[in-house]
Amino acid sequence: MREKFNVVKLDTTNTSLVFAVNDGNLGIAHYGKKITDLPQSDSLDMFLLNGQWGASVDRFNITKMSYSFVGDGNMRESLVSVINSDGTYTSRFVYKKHSLVNGGIPLDDLPCARNAEKTLIVELADDYANLTLKQYYTVFKDSDIIAVRQELTNNGKGNVTVLRLMSLQLDVSGTSYNCVSFNGAWARERYRKDTAVTAGTWMIQSMGGQSSAIMNPFFMAKNPDGNGVYAFNLIYSGNHKEIVEACNDINSTRFLVGINDYCFNLTLKAGETFATPQAVMLFADSEQSVTSEMHNFVNNHIVDPKFAYKDRPLLLNNWEGTHFSFTEEKLLELADKAAELGVELFVLDDGWFGHRDNDASSLGDWYDYKEKLNGSLGKLADKIRAKGLHFGIWVEPEMISEDSDLFRNHPEYAMIVPGREPIRRRNQLVLDLVNKDVQDYLIKEIGDVIERCKAYYVKWDCNRHISDIYSATFENTGEYFHRYVLGLYRVISALKKRFPDVLFESCSAGGNRFDLGMLYYMPQTWCSDMTEPRHRLSIQEGTLYAYPQSAIGAHVSACQNSSFESKFNVACLGAFGYELDATKCTQEELEIIKKQIVFYKQHRHLLQFGKYYRLKSIFGRERKSSWIIISEDKSEAIAFLAETDELINSVPSEWRFTGLDDNALYSFEVRPQNNFKSDVIASGTAGGDALNNCEFSFGKLFSDETDRQPYGTPLATRLIYFKRID
Ligand code: GLA
């Protein structure tokens, strides 16, 4: 038996994924820290549990596998589930062969990670059912991420129904993983939640057609021995599902990541192949390493290289300042103020098209609202550019208002189940993006908008979920959700091709579609409609677990309850801007904004692309927050400190930093803020080793805030700039 073992090892910088092939079965021998020498074949059952462990494993004698299916006697959630052409549910996939090729094997219609180093292709087959399952494991030179996807091909003559095909399966030892997911709602996106999965099945998913604010596809699973963290994500923007199954019978845990099988069944005709999106997995020694790896991966392998490390413009968006009520005069006044303050990009948000004065009309009519704009959009954009600003525009392409010419002329473009009243959210319906005519209409109409205002930036919004799935142009509704995403990607790809230099920002009622699929096309995503800094602290920290600062749209607004300085200190950790009516700001506020803009521009590259370390977590027991951003050569850094509790009769917190050069001497200076007294000691020098290892109280810094509320300061924040001087 033993001589039949064949071992396949795939290495990343710090990890190894080892498969062992035994008699037509493929087991996962190891996934974790890198191993250099493989044990001799004689000792392989050190890795693989292939003993006689009863009914649950007696078919394959292997507990940890990279694939699973229905009908193998191993009754767990499976990677693939089909109805064969003979109407049966049973599958028997066995290992056939594998090969290693250079580079990645990207797909035409789905985003796949860029700049791959090599790909392991494992081929499995169910000969009886005439099905081939190919697994693609892709690694990257500078990364510990492994991207995984599957392809199922029907080599037979009849139709096969695919009920589920996940992108990734990983089985690991033990059954007490602490799973960390990022869940929430509109204006409360990506709050960290910890769940111990010790028995049964735990799941996160989305069902509304977008990756959702409710449950992001990114999650981590922490090893019960405190020994390492697995992390997963999906390069996809539609319904997703992540399953963690604690299999107490065989003491292992299964992870599955992929397209949600909710309302899903796909017809695979003779000769057809279904390819899943790519999922990504990572093994790292700590949560911090997961974050750093994920950030590097997004910047090096997801985001369009043209924008990857390009400084993002500082913008002013009119939405929170004016909502739908604006005139050309108002916009020009705002633009004047923006230019005076040092803003670089003016973004005209919702309300510039059709006859849109509220959210009940005009979606789909992407022509200029000339009465409101006092002329054409192009002319307005020219006037704004003449003030020295770039011009950006908001669109919501996937939607249609019933009060629109588009709906009057093409009611069939809206996604409505015939004979049923559709669900209306925000007074709007969703366009049927499965219909190629609709896709082509959008490519043309949105292309024309970008062209006629010569947009430097486009905010692509999507303000409701999908409910009434139906297309008059496609028979199998079980494929609808997925085909919608393919249609969306087709439209965006065409526009990106036509306008390669335009910076796109994705948005979905705030952060309802913050995922690697959208980031592949659009390098930044509006994080949340919640701009109140105390709440935003949680949203940004949650988002930063998996997505880098440069990908996170973060603005200061005129919302109540917090000082202007705290709004900036929180929002500056991202693709930054303002979203307020600057013409209504007091002179004092304008002076504050000007100084903030100077600070941001001075440190923009560091803030957007420096290495981010979480220090105190807002989700921790203390509910305080701090982080530090450090430049690659460790010559400079910015730290953020936030007291979130009322400081009544309490001693100030103590803060410790990390990641600075132990051997360097740093000068530090607290960013001057208008709301603390000038006699506060706010600068000095310190060794990197002291900063990395000692606790600092910064005593009076926090107690002397001048805009304290009568019973303390609900949110007090500071930024500290460090510069290596020796
Ligand atoms: C969504 C976005 C906002 C704004 C409005 C406009 O809610 O998240 O930023 O663009 O739509 O209607």
Side-chain angles (χ1 to χ4, degrees), residues 89-105:
Y89 283 83
T90 301
S91 295
R92 294 273 192 278
F93 285 96
V94 296
Y95 167 85
K96 291 288 177 182
K97 60 180 185 207
H98 70 269
S99 56
L100 195 61
V101 299
N102 285 332
I105 303 179

Side-chain angles (χ1 to χ4, degrees), residues 2-41:
R2 275 191 188 129
E3 61 274 15
K4 289 188 184 160
F5 272 119
N6 184 6
V7 171
V8 185
K9 183 158 86 70
L10 194 62
D11 287 336
T12 69
T13 315
N14 300 295
T15 67
S16 297
L17 172 61
V18 183
F19 296 103
V21 184
N22 175 21
D23 240 6
N25 302 313
L26 182 77
I28 298 175
H30 168 74
Y31 179 45
K33 278 205 175 129
K34 193 169 193 166
I35 51 169
T36 38
D37 291 325
L38 286 170
Q40 297 306 300
S41 61

Side-chain angles (χ1 to χ4, degrees), residues 407-422:
F407 189 77
R408 283 182 280 274
N409 296 331
H410 288 286
E412 78 284 6
Y413 278 12
M415 194 192 303
I416 300 177
V417 178
R420 278 190 192 276
E421 264 302 291

Side-chain angles (χ1 to χ4, degrees), residues 186 319 324 349-350 356 394 426 459 461 463 507-510 526 529 579:
W186 173 78
W319 176 247
F324 294 104
D349 211 281
D350 197 353
R356 188 150 163 105
W394 177 97
R426 214 194 189 211
K459 178 175 170 189
D461 210 339
N463 272 321
C507 171
S508 179
W526 177 227
D529 284 342
E579 196 157 323

Side-chain angles (χ1 to χ4, degrees), residues 307-325:
F307 294 95
Y309 288 99
K310 194 171 165 197
D311 287 0
R312 306 293 156 77
L314 198 158
L315 63 81
L316 183 130
N317 177 309
N318 73 307
W319 176 247
E320 298 255 344
T322 66
H323 290 115
F324 294 104
S325 311

Side-chain angles (χ1 to χ4, degrees), residues 5 33 89 91 113 117 149 261 390 428 462 480 561 637 719:
F5 272 119
K33 278 205 175 129
Y89 283 83
S91 295
E117 189 188 11
R149 65 177 184 84
D261 49 5
H390 294 299
Q428 63 201 48
C462 170
Y480 192 89
N561 295 334
L719 290 177

Side-chain angles (χ1 to χ4, degrees), residues 351-371:
W352 61 266
F353 53 93
H355 60 277
R356 188 150 163 105
D357 289 315
N358 54 45
D359 62 18
S361 86
S362 304
L363 291 167
D365 293 350
W366 298 109
Y367 44 76
D368 308 347
Y369 190 168
K370 289 202 170 132
E371 298 77 5

